[in-house]
Amino acid sequence: MGGRPMQWKVGRVRITKVVELETVGSTRFILPLASNEEIRKLPWLIPHFATEEGRLKMSIHSLVVETPDRRIVVDTGLGNDKQGRNVPTWNNRATPFLETMTAAGFASDSIDTVLCTHLHVDHVGWNTVLVDGHWAPTFPNARYLMGRVEYAHWSSRHGRADMAAVLADSVTPVWEAGLVDLVEADHRICEEISLAPTPGHTPGHVSVRIASRDAEALITGDFMHHPCQIARPEWSSTADSDAAEARQTRERMLTRLADTPILVIGTHFAGRTAGRVVRDGDAFRLE
Ligand SMILES: [Zn+2]
């Protein structure tokens, strides 16, 4: 962390990456087929997305999308002070993420829209902050957009203890504050920004399409977790709710993106985070 945040310009839209957490290795639990040996067969991943030894680099970050008249935060990471998370280091966090955002020019009260690509633990955390023992919306002037299908799916699954905690501290408080708008998976937010349905990782998962002037970009969300899945779309994540549908979505999206000028910005891609998909033999790679 530190230094100037990474930014991209897409026509009149500017996208800024605000990093919460970067990790190396310990990703076998999420992509079990991505062994060190398999990763070393994909040298284009090194050094941005993997180490020389073949260990995966990953990132949890928010992307602030600015159009001429909107300020949209796409995904809100893990958050501070949360409890009941399955990953030990995701509990009781105390990081200066909001200070980093403010220093980058994005005070919390200047955000008008929060978009959650899906409702997993690492995408909703900064929806709320702990104030006097209560969870309060972090972005009081924002509408929080969540997929209608996604919200219905998780709010009917209180049996999963980890997900119940996430909903209770990071989703329900913004819902009760009246800040949530449930939207369709192809919802248009404004002239330049719209959603694209990419189900499989979760039933209501969406990606974010940015089109301005002649330029286009796509924020992936978690239909891919790591660029190795561009070369190996059949590698499922253990977090995918429907592995077959997730694979179909990856193959469909990669086929559509390949050899186009569309900038692909990865929600968990480390390092330079973005690139263009090109065909490479039977599959693809990121340039
Ligand atoms: Zn995620």
Side-chain angles (χ1 to χ4, degrees):
M1 279 204 241
R4 289 237 314 249
M6 200 173 284
Q7 291 188 322
W8 301 270
K9 201 83 169 115
V10 177
R12 297 196 300 165
V13 177
R14 189 173 69 159
I15 302 120
T16 304
K17 173 186 164 191
V18 184
V19 176
E20 184 181 30
L21 178 66
E22 286 176 325
T23 57
V24 177
S26 67
T27 40
R28 292 289 291 279
F29 76 96
I30 192 137
L31 286 167
L33 296 174
S35 66
N36 293 5
E37 299 99 287
E38 288 296 325
I39 294 303
R40 286 200 303 268
K41 292 178 193 165
L42 303 168
W44 60 269
L45 292 174
I46 301 166
H48 288 284
F49 306 119
T51 65
E52 294 286 342
E53 309 87 74
R55 301 169 77 205
L56 300 185
K57 297 182 181 179
M58 291 188 80
S59 170
I60 296 177
H61 48 253
S62 290
L63 295 163
V64 183
V65 178
E66 293 171 275
T67 76
D69 48 16
R70 300 293 289 267
R71 262 189 176 194
I72 303 162
V73 177
V74 177
D75 288 332
T76 63
L78 296 166
N80 277 0
D81 302 306
K82 308 282 170 160
Q83 296 183 29
R85 289 2 187 193
N86 288 341
V87 178
T89 54
W90 292 1
N91 289 289
N92 295 307
R93 293 176 57 77
T95 69
F97 177 78
L98 291 181
E99 289 79 355
T100 305
M101 249 184 92
T102 301
F106 307 111
S108 300
D109 60 3
S110 73
I111 300 299
D112 58 60
T113 308
V114 175
L115 171 77
C116 300
T117 59
H118 61 301
L119 298 183
H120 276 169
V121 54
D122 53 324
H123 297 261
V124 299
W126 284 105
N127 283 359
T128 58
V129 284
L130 195 58
V131 180
D132 299 329
H134 297 280
W135 294 107
T138 307
F139 307 101
N141 299 319
R143 300 305 301 174
Y144 285 69
L145 309 186
M146 299 177 189
R148 184 183 304 282
V149 170
E150 185 73 5
Y151 185 85
H153 174 76
W154 293 113
S155 46
S156 66
R157 271 165 182 74
H158 287 293
R160 257 187 72 174
D162 57 330
M163 203 58 205
V166 172
L167 291 174
D169 60 36
S170 302
V171 176
T172 305
V174 288
W175 177 270
E176 288 179 346
L179 299 183
V180 175
D181 291 329
L182 296 181
V183 297
E184 302 308 325
D186 60 354
H187 178 71
R188 178 172 291 279
I189 298 176
C190 61
E191 186 189 330
E192 300 89 352
I193 316 294
S194 57
L195 306 184
T198 44
H201 178 60
T202 61
H205 186 275
V206 295
S207 301
V208 182
R209 192 171 278 152
I210 300 163
S212 175
R213 295 187 166 141
D214 289 335
E216 202 177 327
L218 182 84
I219 296 174
T220 57
D222 284 3
F223 81 78
M224 302 186 283
H225 281 84
H226 187 277
C228 67
Q229 291 171 292
I230 295 172
R232 302 280 186 264
E234 69 277 16
W235 285 358
S236 272
S237 154
T238 52
D240 290 345
S241 70
D242 182 331
E245 188 179 38
R247 176 182 179 170
Q248 278 167 19
T249 289
R250 276 191 296 281
E251 286 170 348
R252 170 174 62 85
M253 293 301 285
L254 290 167
T255 301
R256 199 181 73 76
L257 293 165
D259 302 323
T260 72
I262 299 171
L263 181 70
V264 176
I265 305 173
T267 292
H268 288 305
F269 294 5
R272 62 182 178 171
T273 303
R276 289 177 173 83
V277 173
V278 293
R279 278 211 168 266
D280 185 9
D282 293 341
F284 312 91
R285 78 188 137 79
L286 194 65
E287 270 192 354

